[in-house]
Amino acid sequence: GGQVSDTGALRGEGWTLEVDTVRKDEKGTVLGGAFSQPFEPTPVRAVVDANRRRDIERNHSATHLVHAALRRHLGTHVRQQGSLVEPGRLRFDFSHHAPIESVMLERLGEEVNEQIWANHEVATEEMKYPAALALGAMAFFSEKYGDVVRVVTMGDSIELCGGTHVKSTGGLGLFRLVSQSGVAAGVRRVEAVTGRGAYDRLLAVNTDLHSIGDRLKSAPEHLLRKLDQLLAEREKLEAKLAEMRKHGSATGPDAKAPSVDIKGVSVLIDDTDSEDREEIGAMADAFRAGMRKAILVLFGTGGRGAIHVSLSDDLVQVGRTASDLVNRIAAVSGGKGGGRPHFASAGAGDLALLPQARAEAPRIISEWLAAG
């Protein structure tokens, strides 16, 4: 059933062999591992890594439950095409013609967990091959079976299997489907985790949710509502930006406000009551589009006050920076700030001095241009 071998150790008298591989040979089962110390043949005790074995058992039993759930919900055309059962996961390939919809995946996961909570006994029995088929056991690899087969039953799942399993389905603890994919024409693959693997996955998701909540300043249980708010705000901003690009920056600097020429540079000084830096940044981008030798200075009159400066690209290319200019203007009111070369913002400092900073802005810009 695709189950990997156990690992552990062989302990003799005065020596130990750490076993990391198990394979079948013409002489029988061969245990392999790195061994360098001398030894004499003695009676040995095989010690299996119990925790690893338990994880493998959980994933193997879950493979049977997944198989049964897939056939029940997708149809009896579902047939096992291959599987891998490891300590950390299970992988199950099966015949099916299309991807499984997310709603159905959730239902499959729910059903497997319901089988776990039902705590069905996992029973094994050896019997003649025809008797197993008469019992309803699923057998898809008839050429691999002998006259006597081992039948594993858990709930309504009945399969021929020689692997190890939990004693009851409750031993799986928890089941979680983690992915689905296509591996060949008409063959799908699902991967899943159980027990400690499923718990670790849920713990990681919970940790991520709390980290996201901390960044958004929202409790995890309110994240969906917060996300809806952010998406709505983004939609409004995108609509405003599209309108500004279509008709000019009418929601920011007054489209009719006259610019002044200062040392050959067109300077537009205006006010805005917006406190949204993204919106103001969009205003600045709209102003800069296609402009040469141009400066925009916006005085934010809302809230605690702010000053924003945007430079056309040609001014940035000769070494001018918006952060340098915005700090010179903001210094009049005791404010400071920073940003990118073409756009920067500063706090107003003393809001009462913001009108003075606005009045002195043309002189400051003239001196700034002359100094360069």
Side-chain angles (χ1 to χ4, degrees):
Q3 178 176 326
V4 299
S5 63
D6 289 320
T7 59
L10 287 181
R11 295 176 181 169
E13 296 176 6
W15 57 269
T16 299
L17 171 66
E18 298 294 335
V19 177
D20 55 23
T21 60
V22 181
R23 71 178 190 275
K24 288 188 176 182
D25 186 85
E26 59 183 14
K27 296 180 181 180
T29 301
V30 179
L31 310 184
F35 191 78
S36 59
Q37 66 188 96
F39 73 99
E40 294 292 335
T42 70
V44 298
R45 179 179 178 83
V47 182
V48 172
D49 183 335
N51 287 333
R52 185 175 181 276
R53 161 72 81 90
R54 298 287 93 80
D55 288 338
I56 293 171
E57 289 177 344
R58 292 185 187 97
N59 287 334
H60 202 158
S61 296
T63 300
H64 286 219
L65 295 179
V66 168
H67 193 182
L70 287 167
R71 287 174 60 85
R72 186 158 43 251
H73 288 282
L74 301 184
T76 54
H77 66 278
V78 170
R79 297 172 64 90
Q80 178 179 343
Q81 299 297 315
S83 67
L84 175 66
V85 179
E86 299 179 314
R89 63 167 180 158
L90 67 91
R91 189 182 73 202
F92 186 73
D93 298 346
F94 59 98
S95 53
H96 189 57
H97 55 276
I100 306 172
E101 294 182 358
S102 57
V103 174
M104 177 57 70
L105 276 177
E106 290 178 6
R107 180 66 194 115
L108 290 169
E110 288 174 2
E111 180 158 315
V112 172
N113 278 301
E114 287 168 359
Q115 296 297 311
I116 293 171
W117 301 329
N119 199 27
H120 298 295
E121 177 188 3
V122 177
T124 62
E125 183 181 359
E126 291 188 356
M127 62 182 68
K128 295 287 187 179
Y129 182 62
L133 295 182
L135 189 63
M138 288 188 286
F140 301 131
F141 308 102
S142 58
E143 71 281 1
K144 295 184 179 181
Y145 303 122
D147 293 336
V148 177
V149 293
R150 182 169 180 259
V151 179
V152 177
T153 303
M154 56 186 84
D156 59 1
S157 168
I158 308 174
E159 292 197 35
L160 305 187
C161 180
T164 60
H165 291 275
V166 295
K167 290 182 170 54
S168 64
T169 57
L172 273 67
L174 184 64
F175 173 86
R176 183 176 174 86
L177 277 168
V178 296
S179 71
Q180 72 155 319
S181 59
V183 293
V187 179
R188 303 296 300 173
R189 168 175 293 172
V190 291
E191 296 192 29
V193 288
T194 63
R196 76 182 82 228
Y199 175 77
D200 288 343
R201 287 267 182 164
L202 291 176
L203 192 62
V205 169
N206 188 59
T207 300
D208 287 344
L209 284 175
H210 279 278
S211 297
I212 294 169
D214 290 342
R215 292 186 186 184
L216 297 180
K217 295 181 173 56
S218 175
E221 59 268 25
H222 299 147
L223 280 177
L224 280 178
R225 185 171 61 189
K226 183 69 173 181
L227 178 60
D228 288 339
Q229 291 174 353
L230 291 174
L231 290 174
E233 289 172 9
R234 177 180 173 177
E235 192 174 312
K236 289 179 182 178
L237 287 173
E238 288 176 344
K240 286 183 180 179
L241 179 57
E243 187 70 17
M244 285 161 45
R245 286 175 174 168
K246 182 178 180 181
H247 301 293
S249 187
T251 59
D254 188 342
K256 299 177 181 179
S259 60
V260 295
D261 185 284
I262 301 178
K263 296 190 178 300
V265 176
S266 177
V267 179
L268 176 59
I269 300 175
D270 205 357
D271 300 324
T272 177
D273 59 3
S274 175
E275 298 179 60
D276 190 320
R277 197 173 188 280
E278 286 191 19
E279 183 177 354
I280 294 169
M283 297 176 192
D285 288 341
F287 169 82
R288 291 172 51 247
M291 297 290 285
R292 290 183 57 80
K293 289 189 175 182
I295 298 173
L296 169 67
V297 182
L298 279 177
F299 287 86
T301 57
R304 300 171 64 180
I307 303 168
H308 310 281
V309 169
S310 180
L311 307 183
S312 57
D313 291 340
D314 58 321
L315 293 179
V316 174
Q317 289 169 2
V318 297
R320 301 286 185 176
T321 66
S323 57
D324 182 22
L325 180 55
V326 79
N327 274 310
R328 292 182 183 225
I329 299 172
V332 175
S333 61
K336 61 180 180 179
R340 294 167 292 175
H342 63 273
F343 176 64
S345 301
D350 186 347
L351 187 58
L353 295 177
L354 194 61
Q356 181 180 339
R358 193 186 197 288
E360 295 188 27
R363 173 187 61 78
I364 295 171
I365 294 171
S366 178
E367 294 174 353
W368 181 69
L369 290 171

